[in-house]
Amino acid sequence: MAAPGQAGSRGGMRRRGLLKAALPLGAAATALGTGPAIAAGSAPSGAPARQGRDRIDVHCHLIPDFYRRSLTAHGVTEIGGVPVPEWSSALAVGFMNRYGIQTQVVSVSEPGVTYLSSAEERVAMAQRLNTYMSRDLVHTTSSRLKGRFGGFAVLPLGSAPDEQDVSHAVVEARRAVRDLKLDGVGIFSSYGGTYLGDPVFAPLMKALDELGAMVFIHPVTPQGYPDLGLPPFLYEFTFDTTRALVDMLYKGVYKRYPRIRWLAAHAGGTLPYISYRTSLLTVTPAVAQQVGAAGLDDSSPHFRKLFYDTALSPAPQAMKSVRELAGTEHILFATDWPFTSALFPASGDPAPQLDETFSPAERLAVERSNALAQFPALALRIGAA
């Protein structure tokens, strides 16, 4: 695998060519950073009334200037095979206004703070990011930004997490939720090839369970992936999310820490489609098959309790699979902005494909009320409780 910010020897030219071709669209979308609020689509007659700006976006990212400068100083110029995009609170608000989004719940994407070599540096950067997120976005006094942001804390975990790293992560998770009053905690699918079911994370899982936290799992570029000359976000991100979710099933994480609510990025990767297959070593499918009990869970009940977002996955091929697995109430709207700027070149409905899976009432739940139910503090902040 190429080092952060560098193209691999195979396919590097093709990857850069693909990205170069996509950049004009992304630049055009970013240039449209301001604009009036828009109606939330032309719903059919009898559909629930939609406010002009009522969507809650649970998967999008922030890249404040101090973090961008640090990434650049350490040679990180690409994330998931995509150049680090422009971000500011003003651009974020402009994007929300164009697409009928009331609030973004922001998080830090790959590489988080893993690019920093010392534990002290990682702690300092995680604290700075979380404090910024809380003070300047989530609990801001700015009338322009008030109510427009929620936040998932970033944890000071490195690319080879050890007991010290995890101890620091426990302290920061508690500070972020209890003191900074962020809406949850962000965690990556893996850290240097160590997945979330690894025993090293047990103290962190215990702390997250005690907090009753919503934990957002975001994928990373896995180690040693076969380079097809395409940006790894296209497919490797989905595979790494799947690895993390399956790993936690068989390591007993869901069972031991039942108060953690897990939000899986990008519709859970490939998990909904292969949930039955990946559950074959658990007892429920085997018992159901032996007794011929049709209607019993045909995949792990733990997978049914997870939450899944729509980022880069609004098409029916993904959404119908997620709905079949977990139900509409476990699906939350997301855009993955600003990394997806090229997909949003003009104002309008940000995910028209959702109409192919959900009724207008279900779509309102996916785009708003499901999130409000899972983020009660956010609901209070925006007066929607």
Side-chain angles (χ1 to χ4, degrees), residues 271-301:
L271 182 75
Y273 178 71
I274 62 173
S275 59
Y276 172 78
R277 176 174 180 149
T278 57
S279 302
L280 288 177
L281 298 184
T282 63
V283 65
T284 303
V287 171
Q289 189 172 30
Q290 287 178 6
V291 302
L296 289 182
D297 283 336
D298 58 357
S299 59
S300 169

PDB file of all heavy atoms in Angstrom, residues 271-301:
ATOM      1  N   LEU A 271     -22.041  -5.517   4.179  1.00  0.00           N
ATOM      2  CA  LEU A 271     -22.635  -6.387   5.191  1.00  0.00           C
ATOM      3  C   LEU A 271     -24.093  -6.763   4.914  1.00  0.00           C
ATOM      4  O   LEU A 271     -24.440  -7.945   5.022  1.00  0.00           O
ATOM      5  CB  LEU A 271     -22.515  -5.756   6.577  1.00  0.00           C
ATOM      6  CG  LEU A 271     -23.084  -6.645   7.687  1.00  0.00           C
ATOM      7  CD1 LEU A 271     -22.136  -7.793   7.989  1.00  0.00           C
ATOM      8  CD2 LEU A 271     -23.376  -5.857   8.938  1.00  0.00           C
ATOM      9  N   PRO A 272     -24.993  -5.806   4.605  1.00  0.00           N
ATOM     10  CA  PRO A 272     -26.386  -6.221   4.426  1.00  0.00           C
ATOM     11  C   PRO A 272     -26.543  -7.346   3.402  1.00  0.00           C
ATOM     12  O   PRO A 272     -27.310  -8.296   3.629  1.00  0.00           O
ATOM     13  CB  PRO A 272     -27.063  -4.929   3.964  1.00  0.00           C
ATOM     14  CG  PRO A 272     -26.260  -3.852   4.604  1.00  0.00           C
ATOM     15  CD  PRO A 272     -24.834  -4.343   4.511  1.00  0.00           C
ATOM     16  N   TYR A 273     -25.817  -7.259   2.304  1.00  0.00           N
ATOM     17  CA  TYR A 273     -25.936  -8.262   1.247  1.00  0.00           C
ATOM     18  C   TYR A 273     -25.435  -9.628   1.707  1.00  0.00           C
ATOM     19  O   TYR A 273     -25.994 -10.664   1.335  1.00  0.00           O
ATOM     20  CB  TYR A 273     -25.154  -7.797   0.015  1.00  0.00           C
ATOM     21  CG  TYR A 273     -25.155  -8.778  -1.129  1.00  0.00           C
ATOM     22  CD1 TYR A 273     -26.306  -9.006  -1.868  1.00  0.00           C
ATOM     23  CD2 TYR A 273     -24.001  -9.472  -1.472  1.00  0.00           C
ATOM     24  CE1 TYR A 273     -26.311  -9.917  -2.921  1.00  0.00           C
ATOM     25  CE2 TYR A 273     -23.992 -10.378  -2.516  1.00  0.00           C
ATOM     26  CZ  TYR A 273     -25.146 -10.597  -3.238  1.00  0.00           C
ATOM     27  OH  TYR A 273     -25.148 -11.489  -4.278  1.00  0.00           O
ATOM     28  N   ILE A 274     -24.382  -9.663   2.542  1.00  0.00           N
ATOM     29  CA  ILE A 274     -23.801 -10.943   2.953  1.00  0.00           C
ATOM     30  C   ILE A 274     -24.055 -11.229   4.433  1.00  0.00           C
ATOM     31  O   ILE A 274     -23.356 -12.044   5.036  1.00  0.00           O
ATOM     32  CB  ILE A 274     -22.287 -10.990   2.654  1.00  0.00           C
ATOM     33  CG1 ILE A 274     -21.535  -9.908   3.438  1.00  0.00           C
ATOM     34  CG2 ILE A 274     -22.029 -10.864   1.164  1.00  0.00           C
ATOM     35  CD1 ILE A 274     -20.014 -10.023   3.300  1.00  0.00           C
ATOM     36  N   SER A 275     -25.073 -10.601   5.019  1.00  0.00           N
ATOM     37  CA  SER A 275     -25.314 -10.787   6.447  1.00  0.00           C
ATOM     38  C   SER A 275     -25.646 -12.237   6.798  1.00  0.00           C
ATOM     39  O   SER A 275     -25.232 -12.733   7.856  1.00  0.00           O
ATOM     40  CB  SER A 275     -26.429  -9.858   6.922  1.00  0.00           C
ATOM     41  OG  SER A 275     -27.632 -10.106   6.213  1.00  0.00           O
ATOM     42  N   TYR A 276     -26.398 -12.918   5.957  1.00  0.00           N
ATOM     43  CA  TYR A 276     -26.701 -14.326   6.226  1.00  0.00           C
ATOM     44  C   TYR A 276     -25.427 -15.169   6.180  1.00  0.00           C
ATOM     45  O   TYR A 276     -25.133 -15.931   7.100  1.00  0.00           O
ATOM     46  CB  TYR A 276     -27.714 -14.855   5.215  1.00  0.00           C
ATOM     47  CG  TYR A 276     -27.925 -16.349   5.334  1.00  0.00           C
ATOM     48  CD1 TYR A 276     -28.718 -16.877   6.356  1.00  0.00           C
ATOM     49  CD2 TYR A 276     -27.313 -17.233   4.450  1.00  0.00           C
ATOM     50  CE1 TYR A 276     -28.895 -18.246   6.480  1.00  0.00           C
ATOM     51  CE2 TYR A 276     -27.487 -18.595   4.562  1.00  0.00           C
ATOM     52  CZ  TYR A 276     -28.281 -19.104   5.585  1.00  0.00           C
ATOM     53  OH  TYR A 276     -28.444 -20.460   5.711  1.00  0.00           O
ATOM     54  N   ARG A 277     -24.658 -14.993   5.121  1.00  0.00           N
ATOM     55  CA  ARG A 277     -23.446 -15.798   4.968  1.00  0.00           C
ATOM     56  C   ARG A 277     -22.474 -15.570   6.119  1.00  0.00           C
ATOM     57  O   ARG A 277     -21.902 -16.525   6.661  1.00  0.00           O
ATOM     58  CB  ARG A 277     -22.761 -15.467   3.636  1.00  0.00           C
ATOM     59  CG  ARG A 277     -21.445 -16.186   3.436  1.00  0.00           C
ATOM     60  CD  ARG A 277     -20.869 -15.947   2.065  1.00  0.00           C
ATOM     61  NE  ARG A 277     -19.606 -16.657   1.900  1.00  0.00           N
ATOM     62  CZ  ARG A 277     -19.165 -17.137   0.753  1.00  0.00           C
ATOM     63  NH1 ARG A 277     -19.896 -17.003  -0.333  1.00  0.00           N
ATOM     64  NH2 ARG A 277     -18.002 -17.747   0.684  1.00  0.00           N
ATOM     65  N   THR A 278     -22.290 -14.304   6.506  1.00  0.00           N
ATOM     66  CA  THR A 278     -21.315 -14.017   7.557  1.00  0.00           C
ATOM     67  C   THR A 278     -21.814 -14.430   8.936  1.00  0.00           C
ATOM     68  O   THR A 278     -21.044 -14.421   9.896  1.00  0.00           O
ATOM     69  CB  THR A 278     -20.963 -12.521   7.580  1.00  0.00           C
ATOM     70  OG1 THR A 278     -22.161 -11.747   7.749  1.00  0.00           O
ATOM     71  CG2 THR A 278     -20.267 -12.113   6.303  1.00  0.00           C
ATOM     72  N   SER A 279     -23.089 -14.803   9.036  1.00  0.00           N
ATOM     73  CA  SER A 279     -23.640 -15.249  10.326  1.00  0.00           C
ATOM     74  C   SER A 279     -23.686 -16.764  10.447  1.00  0.00           C
ATOM     75  O   SER A 279     -24.169 -17.289  11.460  1.00  0.00           O
ATOM     76  CB  SER A 279     -25.061 -14.700  10.496  1.00  0.00           C
ATOM     77  OG  SER A 279     -25.090 -13.304  10.436  1.00  0.00           O
ATOM     78  N   LEU A 280     -23.192 -17.502   9.481  1.00  0.00           N
ATOM     79  CA  LEU A 280     -23.367 -18.948   9.457  1.00  0.00           C
ATOM     80  C   LEU A 280     -22.711 -19.665  10.636  1.00  0.00           C
ATOM     81  O   LEU A 280     -23.093 -20.785  10.965  1.00  0.00           O
ATOM     82  CB  LEU A 280     -22.838 -19.519   8.136  1.00  0.00           C
ATOM     83  CG  LEU A 280     -23.704 -19.210   6.911  1.00  0.00           C
ATOM     84  CD1 LEU A 280     -23.055 -19.752   5.646  1.00  0.00           C
ATOM     85  CD2 LEU A 280     -25.108 -19.776   7.076  1.00  0.00           C
ATOM     86  N   LEU A 281     -21.734 -19.044  11.263  1.00  0.00           N
ATOM     87  CA  LEU A 281     -21.094 -19.685  12.409  1.00  0.00           C
ATOM     88  C   LEU A 281     -21.766 -19.310  13.729  1.00  0.00           C
ATOM     89  O   LEU A 281     -21.298 -19.715  14.794  1.00  0.00           O
ATOM     90  CB  LEU A 281     -19.604 -19.313  12.471  1.00  0.00           C
ATOM     91  CG  LEU A 281     -18.769 -19.768  11.277  1.00  0.00           C
ATOM     92  CD1 LEU A 281     -17.294 -19.422  11.503  1.00  0.00           C
ATOM     93  CD2 LEU A 281     -18.929 -21.260  11.024  1.00  0.00           C
ATOM     94  N   THR A 282     -22.850 -18.566  13.668  1.00  0.00           N
ATOM     95  CA  THR A 282     -23.632 -18.287  14.871  1.00  0.00           C
ATOM     96  C   THR A 282     -24.783 -19.276  14.934  1.00  0.00           C
ATOM     97  O   THR A 282     -25.126 -19.921  13.944  1.00  0.00           O
ATOM     98  CB  THR A 282     -24.175 -16.844  14.872  1.00  0.00           C
ATOM     99  OG1 THR A 282     -25.065 -16.676  13.769  1.00  0.00           O
ATOM    100  CG2 THR A 282     -23.034 -15.840  14.751  1.00  0.00           C
ATOM    101  N   VAL A 283     -25.410 -19.394  16.078  1.00  0.00           N
ATOM    102  CA  VAL A 283     -26.353 -20.483  16.292  1.00  0.00           C
ATOM    103  C   VAL A 283     -27.682 -20.286  15.580  1.00  0.00           C
ATOM    104  O   VAL A 283     -28.293 -21.246  15.124  1.00  0.00           O
ATOM    105  CB  VAL A 283     -26.587 -20.700  17.805  1.00  0.00           C
ATOM    106  CG1 VAL A 283     -27.271 -19.488  18.429  1.00  0.00           C
ATOM    107  CG2 VAL A 283     -27.403 -21.955  18.058  1.00  0.00           C
ATOM    108  N   THR A 284     -28.160 -19.053  15.427  1.00  0.00           N
ATOM    109  CA  THR A 284     -29.531 -18.847  14.950  1.00  0.00           C
ATOM    110  C   THR A 284     -29.799 -19.445  13.569  1.00  0.00           C
ATOM    111  O   THR A 284     -30.771 -20.180  13.397  1.00  0.00           O
ATOM    112  CB  THR A 284     -29.881 -17.355  14.962  1.00  0.00           C
ATOM    113  OG1 THR A 284     -29.702 -16.855  16.287  1.00  0.00           O
ATOM    114  CG2 THR A 284     -31.309 -17.121  14.523  1.00  0.00           C
ATOM    115  N   PRO A 285     -28.976 -19.181  12.545  1.00  0.00           N
ATOM    116  CA  PRO A 285     -29.278 -19.768  11.233  1.00  0.00           C
ATOM    117  C   PRO A 285     -29.250 -21.296  11.253  1.00  0.00           C
ATOM    118  O   PRO A 285     -30.075 -21.947  10.610  1.00  0.00           O
ATOM    119  CB  PRO A 285     -28.179 -19.204  10.335  1.00  0.00           C
ATOM    120  CG  PRO A 285     -27.724 -17.965  11.028  1.00  0.00           C
ATOM    121  CD  PRO A 285     -27.835 -18.278  12.491  1.00  0.00           C
ATOM    122  N   ALA A 286     -28.318 -21.886  12.015  1.00  0.00           N
ATOM    123  CA  ALA A 286     -28.214 -23.340  12.065  1.00  0.00           C
ATOM    124  C   ALA A 286     -29.456 -23.961  12.697  1.00  0.00           C
ATOM    125  O   ALA A 286     -30.018 -24.936  12.190  1.00  0.00           O
ATOM    126  CB  ALA A 286     -26.969 -23.742  12.852  1.00  0.00           C
ATOM    127  N   VAL A 287     -29.911 -23.378  13.802  1.00  0.00           N
ATOM    128  CA  VAL A 287     -31.098 -23.897  14.471  1.00  0.00           C
ATOM    129  C   VAL A 287     -32.320 -23.755  13.577  1.00  0.00           C
ATOM    130  O   VAL A 287     -33.128 -24.677  13.435  1.00  0.00           O
ATOM    131  CB  VAL A 287     -31.318 -23.168  15.812  1.00  0.00           C
ATOM    132  CG1 VAL A 287     -32.676 -23.538  16.405  1.00  0.00           C
ATOM    133  CG2 VAL A 287     -30.206 -23.510  16.787  1.00  0.00           C
ATOM    134  N   ALA A 288     -32.469 -22.591  12.957  1.00  0.00           N
ATOM    135  CA  ALA A 288     -33.614 -22.366  12.083  1.00  0.00           C
ATOM    136  C   ALA A 288     -33.646 -23.376  10.948  1.00  0.00           C
ATOM    137  O   ALA A 288     -34.706 -23.903  10.583  1.00  0.00           O
ATOM    138  CB  ALA A 288     -33.571 -20.939  11.532  1.00  0.00           C
ATOM    139  N   GLN A 289     -32.492 -23.660  10.371  1.00  0.00           N
ATOM    140  CA  GLN A 289     -32.437 -24.597   9.254  1.00  0.00           C
ATOM    141  C   GLN A 289     -32.795 -26.007   9.712  1.00  0.00           C
ATOM    142  O   GLN A 289     -33.522 -26.728   9.034  1.00  0.00           O
ATOM    143  CB  GLN A 289     -31.040 -24.572   8.633  1.00  0.00           C
ATOM    144  CG  GLN A 289     -30.943 -25.347   7.321  1.00  0.00           C
ATOM    145  CD  GLN A 289     -29.599 -25.131   6.646  1.00  0.00           C
ATOM    146  OE1 GLN A 289     -28.588 -24.911   7.303  1.00  0.00           O
ATOM    147  NE2 GLN A 289     -29.582 -25.185   5.330  1.00  0.00           N
ATOM    148  N   GLN A 290     -32.296 -26.401  10.893  1.00  0.00           N
ATOM    149  CA  GLN A 290     -32.536 -27.755  11.387  1.00  0.00           C
ATOM    150  C   GLN A 290     -34.002 -28.003  11.707  1.00  0.00           C
ATOM    151  O   GLN A 290     -34.538 -29.075  11.441  1.00  0.00           O
ATOM    152  CB  GLN A 290     -31.678 -28.012  12.631  1.00  0.00           C
ATOM    153  CG  GLN A 290     -30.200 -28.191  12.328  1.00  0.00           C
ATOM    154  CD  GLN A 290     -29.381 -28.386  13.586  1.00  0.00           C
ATOM    155  OE1 GLN A 290     -29.921 -28.501  14.685  1.00  0.00           O
ATOM    156  NE2 GLN A 290     -28.069 -28.438  13.439  1.00  0.00           N
ATOM    157  N   VAL A 291     -34.666 -27.012  12.267  1.00  0.00           N
ATOM    158  CA  VAL A 291     -36.064 -27.207  12.666  1.00  0.00           C
ATOM    159  C   VAL A 291     -37.038 -26.736  11.593  1.00  0.00           C
ATOM    160  O   VAL A 291     -38.248 -26.841  11.765  1.00  0.00           O
ATOM    161  CB  VAL A 291     -36.369 -26.491  13.998  1.00  0.00           C
ATOM    162  CG1 VAL A 291     -35.438 -26.992  15.096  1.00  0.00           C
ATOM    163  CG2 VAL A 291     -36.239 -24.974  13.851  1.00  0.00           C
ATOM    164  N   GLY A 292     -36.513 -26.212  10.494  1.00  0.00           N
ATOM    165  CA  GLY A 292     -37.367 -25.753   9.420  1.00  0.00           C
ATOM    166  C   GLY A 292     -38.259 -24.602   9.809  1.00  0.00           C
ATOM    167  O   GLY A 292     -39.399 -24.487   9.337  1.00  0.00           O
ATOM    168  N   ALA A 293     -37.772 -23.740  10.701  1.00  0.00           N
ATOM    169  CA  ALA A 293     -38.583 -22.641  11.223  1.00  0.00           C
ATOM    170  C   ALA A 293     -38.423 -21.418  10.344  1.00  0.00           C
ATOM    171  O   ALA A 293     -37.600 -20.545  10.605  1.00  0.00           O
ATOM    172  CB  ALA A 293     -38.177 -22.329  12.657  1.00  0.00           C
ATOM    173  N   ALA A 294     -39.190 -21.358   9.291  1.00  0.00           N
ATOM    174  CA  ALA A 294     -39.157 -20.191   8.421  1.00  0.00           C
ATOM    175  C   ALA A 294     -39.609 -18.966   9.191  1.00  0.00           C
ATOM    176  O   ALA A 294     -40.522 -19.033  10.004  1.00  0.00           O
ATOM    177  CB  ALA A 294     -40.047 -20.409   7.209  1.00  0.00           C
ATOM    178  N   GLY A 295     -38.962 -17.847   8.929  1.00  0.00           N
ATOM    179  CA  GLY A 295     -39.337 -16.601   9.580  1.00  0.00           C
ATOM    180  C   GLY A 295     -38.431 -16.224  10.729  1.00  0.00           C
ATOM    181  O   GLY A 295     -38.482 -15.093  11.205  1.00  0.00           O
ATOM    182  N   LEU A 296     -37.622 -17.175  11.220  1.00  0.00           N
ATOM    183  CA  LEU A 296     -36.638 -16.804  12.221  1.00  0.00           C
ATOM    184  C   LEU A 296     -35.555 -15.952  11.568  1.00  0.00           C
ATOM    185  O   LEU A 296     -35.417 -15.932  10.345  1.00  0.00           O
ATOM    186  CB  LEU A 296     -36.014 -18.048  12.866  1.00  0.00           C
ATOM    187  CG  LEU A 296     -36.917 -18.861  13.806  1.00  0.00           C
ATOM    188  CD1 LEU A 296     -36.134 -20.031  14.384  1.00  0.00           C
ATOM    189  CD2 LEU A 296     -37.450 -17.988  14.938  1.00  0.00           C
ATOM    190  N   ASP A 297     -34.770 -15.264  12.385  1.00  0.00           N
ATOM    191  CA  ASP A 297     -33.694 -14.430  11.846  1.00  0.00           C
ATOM    192  C   ASP A 297     -32.838 -15.250  10.889  1.00  0.00           C
ATOM    193  O   ASP A 297     -32.340 -16.318  11.254  1.00  0.00           O
ATOM    194  CB  ASP A 297     -32.806 -13.895  12.967  1.00  0.00           C
ATOM    195  CG  ASP A 297     -33.463 -12.744  13.712  1.00  0.00           C
ATOM    196  OD1 ASP A 297     -34.329 -12.080  13.137  1.00  0.00           O
ATOM    197  OD2 ASP A 297     -33.089 -12.525  14.865  1.00  0.00           O
ATOM    198  N   ASP A 298     -32.655 -14.758   9.687  1.00  0.00           N
ATOM    199  CA  ASP A 298     -31.799 -15.445   8.729  1.00  0.00           C
ATOM    200  C   ASP A 298     -30.415 -14.808   8.676  1.00  0.00           C
ATOM    201  O   ASP A 298     -29.621 -15.095   7.811  1.00  0.00           O
ATOM    202  CB  ASP A 298     -32.429 -15.454   7.337  1.00  0.00           C
ATOM    203  CG  ASP A 298     -32.711 -14.050   6.816  1.00  0.00           C
ATOM    204  OD1 ASP A 298     -32.471 -13.082   7.563  1.00  0.00           O
ATOM    205  OD2 ASP A 298     -33.164 -13.938   5.675  1.00  0.00           O
ATOM    206  N   SER A 299     -30.149 -13.902   9.602  1.00  0.00           N
ATOM    207  CA  SER A 299     -28.811 -13.344   9.790  1.00  0.00           C
ATOM    208  C   SER A 299     -28.727 -12.921  11.236  1.00  0.00           C
ATOM    209  O   SER A 299     -29.711 -12.949  11.966  1.00  0.00           O
ATOM    210  CB  SER A 299     -28.573 -12.151   8.861  1.00  0.00           C
ATOM    211  OG  SER A 299     -29.526 -11.144   9.091  1.00  0.00           O
ATOM    212  N   SER A 300     -27.550 -12.560  11.679  1.00  0.00           N
ATOM    213  CA  SER A 300     -27.370 -12.264  13.092  1.00  0.00           C
ATOM    214  C   SER A 300     -28.316 -11.169  13.568  1.00  0.00           C
ATOM    215  O   SER A 300     -28.414 -10.105  12.954  1.00  0.00           O
ATOM    216  CB  SER A 300     -25.931 -11.817  13.354  1.00  0.00           C
ATOM    217  OG  SER A 300     -25.820 -11.285  14.662  1.00  0.00           O
ATOM    218  N   PRO A 301     -29.015 -11.409  14.683  1.00  0.00           N
ATOM    219  CA  PRO A 301     -29.855 -10.333  15.232  1.00  0.00           C
ATOM    220  C   PRO A 301     -29.042  -9.110  15.631  1.00  0.00           C
ATOM    221  O   PRO A 301     -29.580  -8.002  15.684  1.00  0.00           O
ATOM    222  CB  PRO A 301     -30.529 -10.992  16.443  1.00  0.00           C
ATOM    223  CG  PRO A 301     -29.677 -12.165  16.782  1.00  0.00           C
ATOM    224  CD  PRO A 301     -29.105 -12.640  15.483  1.00  0.00           C
TER     225      PRO A 301
END
